[in-house]
Amino acid sequence: MADATERAAARIARVLLAGRALGLDVAALATTLAELGEALAPIAWGWSGPPWDELGLTFAWPRSPEVGARVEALLRRVAPALAAALPTLTERRARTREVTLRARRGGQGDRSGLGVALRLTGPVPVAEDGARLLAAGLPAPLTSALLGLVTDLGGTSNGLEVGGDTRGLHVALDVHLGGASSDRLHPVLDACAVSPAQRRLIATLWPVLAPDGVVVASLRAHADDGRPQLWLCFAAQPWDDIVKLAQGLHPNAQVGDRLGERAGAFDAARVEALELALGATEPPAFRVAALVSAEAPRNTQKSS
C-alpha cells in the first residue's frame, strides 16, 4: 500500500511540475489534492493547446465512502451549479465514474483557476442523460439541441460529463461512432457550423486516425452559450503522428516542442486520446490525454 501511495504521489508531482512550466495555476490544484488525501491515484493526464491554457488529472471515483464524500464536497464548492444534480450524478449504477481536476491559466492560487468535472461512462437512452443535464441547470433549449444531435447519431448516450469553474457550467454528451467514413456526421457538422476546411480535414483524418471506424463524437456546451460544439475523439495514436498533425494545424505555436516536452516528462509512449474541437474558428483547438506512468520517466528531455 505504501508503494502504491508513493507511486501515486510521484505521478501527481510530475503533473504539477508540467503545469507549473506551462504557467498554470497548479497551486490551487496541489492544495485541492492534499485536501482529498492520498487515496486518489491519477489514471490519466491531459491538456489543451494552443494556447496551452489547461492541464488536467483524471481519477477513478474513489471506493472509499469517506474520500467520495470529500470529492462531492469539492464538486459543490468549485462548481456550485452541480449541487442540485449530484444525487442523480453520483447514484450507484452500472456506469463508470471518473472525476477530473483541471488547472487553468490566470488563477490566483485561490481556486479561481481550478475546474472540476464528473464523468459517467456507459450506454443509456439519451433521455436519461437529458434529465441529468436539466437537473444540473443547463437551459432547456440548449439541452434539447444536444439531445436532438445525439438522436441524429443513434439516440444512445455513451457518456456524460458535467463540470464547472469560474466560467460556469459545462456539459458533454458522448456518442460512439462506427463506420469507415465521417458521412454519418453531416447533420451534426451543419448544426455546429463546422467550417468547410475542417470538414475536409476530418474526411482526410478519419481513415488514418480511425482505421477501424471507432470514434467518439462529443457534443459539448457551456450554459451561457446557445450553440453546441462538436469535438471528435480519436484513440491510441503514436506521439510522432500527433506532433505532425499538431504542427500542421498550428505551424507557428511551437507545438512540436511542447508535445515533445510533455511526452518526455510523463514517459508516455503514445497518446491515449486526441480530441479536436470543430466549428467555425480556425485552426481547430485540440486536447491530448495520456496514461500516467507508474514509474519515473526515463528521459525528461525527449522531443520530436
Side-chain angles (χ1 to χ4, degrees):
M1 181 66 179
D3 288 345
T5 300
E6 290 175 1
R7 287 197 298 270
R11 299 177 192 180
I12 291 172
R14 294 205 298 277
V15 171
L16 296 180
L17 285 173
R20 187 174 294 112
L22 291 171
L24 305 180
D25 184 17
V26 297
L29 180 55
T31 300
T32 301
L33 290 170
E35 291 175 357
L36 294 177
E38 298 179 339
L40 291 178
I43 56 177
W45 62 272
W47 86 100
S48 60
W52 319 107
D53 58 356
E54 180 183 285
L55 177 77
L57 269 175
T58 298
F59 306 85
W61 188 267
R63 295 182 180 180
S64 162
E66 178 183 355
V67 180
R70 292 205 293 268
V71 173
E72 288 192 31
L74 171 69
L75 289 166
R76 289 187 173 93
R77 188 165 64 248
V78 176
L82 299 186
L86 276 178
T88 185
L89 292 171
T90 59
E91 63 185 351
R92 292 188 177 275
R93 295 174 58 93
R95 299 181 92 181
T96 301
R97 289 182 296 170
E98 296 175 347
V99 61
T100 297
L101 303 178
R102 296 188 176 108
R104 302 183 188 279
R105 191 180 306 280
Q108 304 299 318
D110 57 358
R111 292 198 176 92
S112 61
L114 186 67
V116 63
L118 176 64
R119 173 169 287 276
L120 309 178
T121 303
V124 299
V126 68
E128 289 190 23
D129 278 345
R132 294 184 176 91
L133 295 180
L134 291 172
L138 193 70
L142 189 52
T143 299
S144 296
L146 287 172
L147 299 189
L149 294 176
V150 174
T151 299
D152 288 341
L153 294 174
T156 296
S157 170
N158 296 100
L160 166 70
E161 180 174 300
V162 181
D165 52 31
T166 55
R167 296 179 294 182
L169 176 74
H170 71 265
V171 303
L173 288 174
D174 294 346
V175 180
H176 291 182
L177 302 178
S181 76
S182 57
D183 292 348
R184 187 178 168 192
L185 278 174
H186 285 170
V188 178
L189 297 177
D190 292 338
C192 295
V194 176
S195 70
Q198 292 181 22
R199 294 175 190 235
R200 293 191 294 271
L201 173 69
I202 293 306
T204 300
L205 291 179
W206 195 285
V208 177
L209 299 182
D212 56 359
V214 178
V215 179
V216 176
S218 185
L219 294 153
R220 305 179 185 180
H222 285 268
D224 59 353
D225 188 354
R227 168 170 284 174
Q229 185 179 32
L230 173 64
W231 287 65
L232 286 186
C233 309
F234 300 92
Q237 307 296 326
W239 274 106
D240 287 348
D241 292 349
I242 298 304
V243 168
K244 291 175 184 176
L245 171 61
Q247 287 175 325
L249 294 175
H250 300 270
N252 300 317
Q254 297 181 314
V255 172
D257 291 343
R258 294 286 194 180
L259 290 175
E261 290 166 2
R262 301 289 80 77
F266 293 105
D267 194 27
R270 66 179 186 178
V271 172
E272 290 299 317
L274 166 70
E275 305 177 3
L276 291 175
L278 304 179
T281 302
E282 300 288 357
F286 66 88
R287 178 183 293 164
V288 296
L291 298 182
V292 179
S293 171
E295 306 299 333
R298 291 186 295 267
N299 176 16
T300 59
Q301 301 301 316
K302 184 188 301 182
S303 62
S304 62

